Every structure is written in structure tokens, then in C-alpha cells.
Amino acid sequence: MSSCRKEFYMKIGFIGLGLMGLPMAQNLLNAGNSLTVYNRSQGGVNELVAAGAARASTIAAASKADFIMTALPFPETVEDIYLGADGLIANSTTGTMLIDFSTNGPETIQRCAQAASAKGLRYLDAPMSGGPARAVDGSLSIMVGGQQDDFEKAKPLLEIVGDNIYLCGPVGSGTTVKLANQLLVGVTNAAVAEAFVLAVKSGVDPALVYEILNGAVAQSAVMTWTIPDSTLKRDFKPRFSLDLLTKDLGLITDMGKAKGVRLAVTTIAEIVHREAQVQGEGSNNVSAVIRPLEKLTGIEVKPAESNQPLGAE
């Protein structure tokens, strides 16, 4: 978190302490806020409690706050946490602000927003982008959908976890922009995999390919994020899992059907990611989308001095 930011003291409930949620919650706590945390697994909860947060044993206990924030992996989980009989909306008090950092489909956003409004609660969809490293240093991009006055009320807290914060329009607009971002991430991820496998199969060192393309028109944040520190090192530990990106691509193609927009390239990218998922790569980093194609072509994308056909002695 940037040391130049103003501290903003509020009572916050935070649910969802994964790779993104945990450092976000830590930054909110570091700023001096009163923080109550809930998560199904307890590792992140224990870490934050040791740093001064309060432990909530139920969702209802985490809902006794001025602001309730969630960072959850799947829309089904969001709907359970928000709309369940023991969930946030049923247990929050009038005027509480709900801020959901998760990546959802438009239908989930509208169901949560309508239920919140009926209970007299404020609601923002606020999906974020930037990866774990930017979650740690508080420099996430946050795309917000909601009313202007709710956005202004939440903005001091959002500025603790993000540097690039935008009100995109009414509820659901933040999710629309995030899904547009994920469309480009998914398509580019699939294309990067094909480009590097093609280069290696043709006998060119992929480290050299990366060096050249990183200074050419083909340069992209996705290539920078997936090739040097993951694919070339054969390190596929998840920073953002292939399961989550595949989920996002499914939400995007569903949205395209609902809006009557042809998403041919995105549909192919979804198929490519689902292929990797079926082959057991879902829990790995998004860069693992390259592995089925490597197997199919009999090579691995790694520096030339260590590269040889798969199965070679």
C-alpha cells in the first residue's frame, strides 16, 4: 500500500481470503480499519487475526459492519454468500454498503443488487484486475458499477486497495468492463501459447522470441505475465488459475449470446482453455493453457539450451 494514501477508518467485514482477497484485506487492516474476516478455510483468517483482525465464525457475524466486501471465485459462491438464508443480505442492517470484488455474470450482479435494494442496502459491483502482486502493493485496477453517491462514499476505501479506480456506470457496468478485460486476456493467452509453440517447433529459441516480441507490436501484459517467469521456467504454480479464466470466458460467451453479439474468437479461446482444463491443468496458472499443444506437437517451450523433444533421452 502506498505510504502517501490517507488512512480511512471504518468498520469492515471481508469475506473471501484467496490470492487476491487476503492481501486486499491486509491493506485495509494496515490502514487502521476495524476488520472482521470470514473464510471457509482458516489459513488466511488466522494470519489476519494474528495481525489484529476479528474472526467471524459465520457469514452473519461478518455482516455487522459499515462496509462488507467480498472477493469470491465463482458466481455460485457469490449467490450463496449474498442471497442464502444465512447470507449477507438477510443479515445486514439498513444502509450497509456491499462491495463485491468478484468477477460475476450480469445475472448474478442484478440478482444481488435487487435483493440488496429491497433490504435497504447499498451495493457496488467492483471487480478488480492486476494479479496478486498488485493486490499486495495496493495498486489494483477496480471497475465499479453503482450509484455516484455510493461510489464516492466507498472511494476512500477503494483507494487503499487500488490505484486505478473507475465508476463505469450503473450497477453491472463494472462487471461489463471486467469481462471485456477478461475477453482480451483469454484470447491473448491462447494466442501467446500458439505463437511460442509454433516458434519452438520451427527451431527458434523461445527466450529470443520473447525478447524480440516484448519490444514489438505483439507485446502484451499477458505475454509478459505468462512467458518469462512461468512457461520458460516450467513453473505453473497458480497466480491466476486456468479454472478461473475458463470460468470468465464462459461468462463472456454467455453474455455474448444474451446480447446478440458474435464472439467467435472468444468461443475458440474458451474451447482451448477447456481443453487444458480437461487435461488436468485447471488448478495451474493460466499459462498452462500451452501444455496440451506442447504435448500434441512433441516439444516444450523452454530456453533452447534445455529444449529437446518430449520423450527424448
Side-chain angles (χ1 to χ4, degrees):
M1 184 180 66
S2 172
S3 60
C4 67
R5 293 181 186 167
K6 294 180 180 179
E7 294 180 336
F8 183 70
Y9 301 100
M10 295 299 295
K11 187 175 181 181
I12 302 169
F14 203 107
I15 297 176
L17 302 175
L19 287 174
M20 301 294 287
L22 177 58
M24 294 170 74
Q26 183 68 66
N27 282 338
L28 291 163
L29 183 63
N30 290 347
N33 295 289
S34 171
L35 186 70
T36 300
V37 292
Y38 175 86
N39 200 61
R40 288 172 180 170
S41 60
Q42 292 298 295
V45 174
N46 292 338
E47 182 177 334
L48 290 169
V49 168
R55 184 193 311 269
S57 58
T58 65
I59 297 169
S63 70
K64 309 309 178 185
D66 303 307
F67 293 83
I68 306 171
M69 302 178 176
T70 53
L72 302 164
F74 299 104
E76 297 83 1
T77 310
V78 170
E79 295 202 18
D80 182 49
I81 296 270
Y82 275 78
L83 303 177
D86 298 319
L88 288 178
I89 291 173
N91 288 282
S92 298
T93 57
T94 300
T96 298
M97 176 84 71
L98 307 176
I99 303 175
D100 187 15
F101 294 116
S102 315
T103 301
N104 296 300
E107 297 83 2
T108 294
I109 295 300
Q110 295 304 326
R111 279 193 287 270
C112 291
Q114 289 165 12
S117 178
K119 185 77 184 294
L121 308 174
R122 318 305 296 175
Y123 177 88
L124 298 172
D125 65 298
M128 70 315 203
S129 181
R134 288 178 60 187
V136 169
D137 67 21
S139 63
L140 293 168
S141 293
I142 302 175
M143 296 144 268
V144 183
Q147 296 182 18
Q148 180 75 44
D149 56 342
D150 292 337
F151 173 73
E152 295 299 335
K153 183 177 180 181
K155 193 173 181 182
L157 286 176
L158 297 177
E159 288 176 338
I160 294 171
V161 296
D163 272 346
N164 303 297
I165 301 163
Y166 302 93
L167 179 61
C168 302
V171 165
S173 300
T175 292
T176 296
V177 176
K178 176 60 186 291
L179 291 179
N181 180 82
Q182 297 305 88
L183 186 160
L184 292 170
V185 169
V187 168
T188 305
N189 193 46
V192 166
E194 292 187 357
F196 277 81
V197 169
L198 180 63
V200 171
K201 189 67 174 179
S202 301
V204 182
D205 182 354
L208 176 63
V209 175
Y210 175 76
E211 181 181 349
I212 295 169
L213 297 187
N214 199 42
V217 176
Q219 193 279 334
S220 73
V222 173
M223 183 175 68
T224 301
W225 200 55
T226 58
I227 294 298
D229 292 327
S230 180
T231 302
L232 293 183
K233 292 182 179 179
R234 313 308 297 171
D235 178 3
F236 296 102
K237 292 191 299 292
R239 301 166 191 169
F240 179 56
S241 76
L242 189 138
D243 276 338
L244 289 177
L245 182 53
T246 305
K247 175 265 295 185
D248 293 348
L249 289 167
L251 293 174
I252 294 160
T253 54
D254 286 347
M255 184 178 178
K257 293 171 188 174
K259 297 296 183 182
V261 178
R262 175 191 51 76
L263 299 177
V265 177
T266 311
T267 300
I268 295 298
E270 181 187 359
I271 291 169
V272 169
H273 284 77
R274 292 199 183 279
E275 175 190 44
Q277 203 175 36
V278 167
Q279 293 193 24
E281 304 292 347
S283 62
N284 288 328
N285 198 47
V286 292
S287 51
V289 75
I290 201 170
R291 298 183 81 176
L293 187 56
E294 289 180 327
K295 293 173 186 176
L296 187 64
T297 53
I299 57 91
E300 286 185 341
V301 174
K302 54 189 178 182
E305 62 270 16
S306 61
N307 210 350
Q308 58 180 340
L310 292 180
E313 295 298 330

